[in-house]
């Protein structure tokens, strides 16, 4: 198993960023590059000071998560890229196990199971696992919701460039839009059932603060892709 991996951490005014960085520094895999994209933060930037020289910091005016991800992914030196939100946490074997899974199965992109944790870092008793992980069932699930947790995703940089990056016109559903484009372009998204990321649920997170706007944007994205995805499902079900 080989491959230089870049981990991109979009950061905006988040007090948890140090924990996210520490979880990447604790990975059992190398070589590894950590890129923190400071997306125009106005506070909490002092939390990056202890990591100067250990991580690469890209600073830009505020463009939202999609813009921060695109900046980090394009700056990445690795042949593989992983995304970690600044309030989430990688388990130590995350990169090693997922990279091995991708290389053995020949996937250009994959996602994994994950754990949910609260604002204090207390993890739920049971992980979030897609019990029926068949590709057909996965495609059906995308008709109604985004079943891919972006912070569990790893892809090759070449594949990211081929797909054209995240849509920066979508402030909340850029990831959902990307997965739908990938599926409709005929590329499989591999799924590793092993939970390797802790996904933090807290009052300040975007999915809580912007719930109504997110719901509207999800509906719009689904309407854009629904007919094509249904046609794909019909073809696969024959």
């Amino acid at each position: 198993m080989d491959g230089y991996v870049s981990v991109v951490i979009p950061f905006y005014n988040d007090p948890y960023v140090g924990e996210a960085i520490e979880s990447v520094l604790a990975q059992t895999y190398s070589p590894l590059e950590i890129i923190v994209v400071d997306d125009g933060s106005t506070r909490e930037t002092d939390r990056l000071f202890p990591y100067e020289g250990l991580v690469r910091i890209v600073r830009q005016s505020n463009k939202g998560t999609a813009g921060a991800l695109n900046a980090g992914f394009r700056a990445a030196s690795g042949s593989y890229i992983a995304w970690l939100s600044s309030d989430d946490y990688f388990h130590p074997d995350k990169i090693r196990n997922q990279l091995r899974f991708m290389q053995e199965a020949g996937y250009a992109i994959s996602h994994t199971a994950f754990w949910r944790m609260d604002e204090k870092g207390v993890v739920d008793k049971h992980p979030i696992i897609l019990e029926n992980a068949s590709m057909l069932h996965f495609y059906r699930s995308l008709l109604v919701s985004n079943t891919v947790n972006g912070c569990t995703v790893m892809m090759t940089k070449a594949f990211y460039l081929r797909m054209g990056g995240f849509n920066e016109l979508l402030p909340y559903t850029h990831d959902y839009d990307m997965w739908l484009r990938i599926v409709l372009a005929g590329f499989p998204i591999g799924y590793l059932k092993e939970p390797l990321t802790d996904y933090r649920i807290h009052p300040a997170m975007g999915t809580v603060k912007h719930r109504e706007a997110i719901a509207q944007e999800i509906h719009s994205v689904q309407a854009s892709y629904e007919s094509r995805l249904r046609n794909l499902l019909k073809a696969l079900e024959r």
Side-chain angles (χ1 to χ4, degrees), residues 176-190:
Y176 191 19
D177 171 83
M178 171 75 96
W179 319 145
L180 287 166
R181 283 190 283 123
I182 288 170
V183 165
L184 290 170
F187 298 105
I189 301 177

Side-chain angles (χ1 to χ4, degrees), residues 50 105 114 124 130 139 160 213 236:
F114 61 96
D124 284 356
L130 301 180
Y139 290 173
Y160 163 79
L236 293 172

Side-chain angles (χ1 to χ4, degrees), residues 139-147 176 218 222 229-230:
Y139 290 173
R140 287 196 193 109
S141 75
L142 288 175
L143 280 170
V144 295
S145 65
N146 181 5
T147 49
Y176 191 19
I218 287 174
Q222 288 173 337
L229 187 54
R230 288 193 183 280

Side-chain angles (χ1 to χ4, degrees), residues 117-137:
M117 65 177 170
D118 65 17
E119 58 190 304
K120 296 181 180 179
V122 178
V123 178
D124 284 356
K125 293 181 179 180
H126 304 288
I128 305 301
I129 297 176
L130 301 180
E131 294 301 338
N132 186 340
S134 72
M135 204 61 70
L136 187 59
H137 186 271

Side-chain angles (χ1 to χ4, degrees), residues 12-16 85-88 117-121 199-209 211:
Y12 180 72
N13 296 343
D14 187 0
Y16 296 110
S85 287
S86 56
D87 50 359
D88 295 338
M117 65 177 170
D118 65 17
E119 58 190 304
K120 296 181 180 179
Y199 173 66
R200 195 186 304 267
I201 309 294
H202 59 94
M205 68 189 301
T207 51
V208 173
K209 289 168 44 177
R211 193 182 305 274

